[in-house]
Amino acid sequence: SFYDAMNENYDEVLGRMMGNEDFLCKMLKKFAQDTSMDKLTEAMEARDNKAVFEHAHALKGVCANLGLGLLGGLPVNRTVK
């Protein structure tokens, strides 16, 4: 499955969504359309460290909640160097 391939525990992720699989699917689809990565890229290009931190932190949190560990596990503090 998708979560197995990501080395994530589907049951834990589903638990974060109160056991509602439809809600999880809705959130994954919404994430796929999200512009957070674009905003992060723009902040990086502008060398706006505060905005970089804020966008990276938000993106990391969403990824962690959705069980997208490969993205959610990135260290935010490294983005502002």
Side-chain angles (χ1 to χ4, degrees):
S1 78
F2 172 76
Y3 283 101
D4 289 336
M6 302 269 301
N7 287 325
E8 289 289 337
N9 185 319
Y10 175 75
D11 292 330
E12 284 182 19
V13 175
L14 190 59
R16 288 185 211 123
M17 304 295 141
M18 298 171 283
N20 188 332
E21 193 170 72
D22 290 336
F23 184 66
L24 173 57
C25 289
K26 180 180 177 180
M27 291 296 101
L28 286 168
K29 288 177 185 176
K30 190 171 183 166
F31 175 76
Q33 298 170 351
D34 190 80
T35 61
S36 296
M37 186 59 80
D38 295 332
K39 291 176 184 175
L40 174 59
T41 301
E42 290 170 8
M44 291 173 73
E45 289 171 352
R47 298 189 177 272
D48 183 345
N49 288 343
K50 182 178 182 218
V52 168
F53 178 82
E54 290 170 358
H55 292 303
H57 183 71
L59 190 58
K60 178 181 175 174
V62 170
C63 289
N65 284 331
L66 292 176
L68 305 174
L70 295 175
L71 298 173
L74 296 174
V76 171
N77 61 341
R78 303 256 172 151
T79 63
V80 295
K81 285 189 174 182

